[in-house]
Amino acid sequence: MGVTEDAAGPWLVAGLGNPGPGYAMNRHNVGFMVADLLAERMGGRFKRAAKAQAQVVEGRIGPPGPGSRRVVLVKPMSYMNLSGGPVNALREFYKVPPQRVVAVHDELDIDYGTLRLKLGGGDNGHNGLKSLTGSFGRDYHRVRFGIGRPPGRMQVADYVLKDFSSAERKELDYFVDRAADAVECLVTEGLERAQSAYNS
């Protein structure tokens, strides 16, 4: 029985970002935005985790009945480049194998709003992924939310820590909603089904 079919254990979905209101609308914080929407859909509120520097919500994703899955939503409160410590502490506490961890994060090499789902791979220079991989290996799922490359000569660090532009914000809610749908599909129906539905 594969990980996706094993409904007994929970999934751990980590939205990556930086804590604090100053970062809330940054491109780098789109993982937090998706996690917040998933928590809303689950009818839960993020609370401080006792076991890690993070906020968590426990609940279920998917239709009522046997098709739903237990999920622990996580927002690390350690800043992006140290995300691996809190996520791994909670992964160990809830006994979640890496293959049932989903990281939701911004991705520079994909056009704005485009999604790509995959299992494993490199970190592509993303400090949050680098920290996760350093903590428990690379065999976890990623929901990559495209933010595009910085314009002109703008430094990557400046670009990801800027808020979405006014033009981007017009479609942001739609794209965040679609990313949350992709996470739900991945957890309830498996990677292949989610890739065919949401990879564009």
Side-chain angles (χ1 to χ4, degrees):
M1 182 180 285
V3 165
T4 305
E5 288 76 37
D6 175 13
W11 284 71
L12 191 151
V13 177
L16 302 186
N18 287 308
Y23 296 100
M25 288 303 296
N26 286 182
R27 294 182 178 92
H28 223 19
N29 269 44
V30 74
F32 274 18
M33 297 174 199
V34 175
D36 285 338
L37 179 56
L38 287 166
E40 188 181 309
R41 290 182 181 185
M42 286 164 50
R45 296 184 64 145
F46 277 100
K47 295 176 182 168
R48 203 165 168 179
K51 304 292 178 184
Q53 190 180 358
Q55 293 182 351
V56 296
V57 178
E58 295 180 53
R60 299 190 80 85
I61 275 179
S68 72
R69 297 285 182 266
R70 289 174 56 210
V71 170
V72 180
L73 290 177
V74 179
K75 293 197 299 185
M77 293 286 115
S78 57
Y79 291 97
M80 179 70 84
N81 61 348
L82 299 172
S83 299
V87 172
N88 195 44
L90 290 165
R91 187 189 71 79
E92 290 180 342
F93 176 72
Y94 288 101
K95 299 180 172 58
V96 179
Q99 296 86 355
R100 215 162 20 215
V101 174
V102 182
V104 185
H105 64 92
D106 58 305
E107 178 61 65
L108 285 160
D109 288 335
I110 303 174
D111 290 340
Y112 174 59
T114 299
L115 295 177
R116 293 273 194 282
L117 286 76
K118 69 174 187 173
L119 173 64
D123 56 58
N124 204 22
H126 193 288
N127 287 331
L129 297 183
K130 196 176 294 183
S131 183
L132 295 187
T133 297
S135 295
F136 54 89
R138 61 177 57 189
D139 294 330
Y140 55 93
H141 289 86
R142 299 101 189 276
V143 174
R144 305 157 72 205
F145 186 111
I147 60 169
R149 302 293 303 185
R153 298 187 179 187
M154 185 185 290
Q155 294 294 310
V156 165
D158 294 332
Y159 178 71
V160 298
L161 293 176
K162 282 195 181 307
D163 288 358
F164 284 102
S165 69
S166 55
E168 288 169 333
R169 282 200 295 272
K170 290 175 182 172
E171 294 184 290
L172 183 59
D173 286 350
Y174 168 75
F175 289 139
V176 168
D177 193 70
R178 191 164 182 271
D181 290 346
V183 172
E184 291 183 346
C185 184
L186 168 61
V187 169
T188 58
E189 300 186 52
L191 179 61
E192 285 186 23
R193 180 69 63 88
Q195 285 176 324
S196 65
Y198 293 98
N199 277 15
S200 47

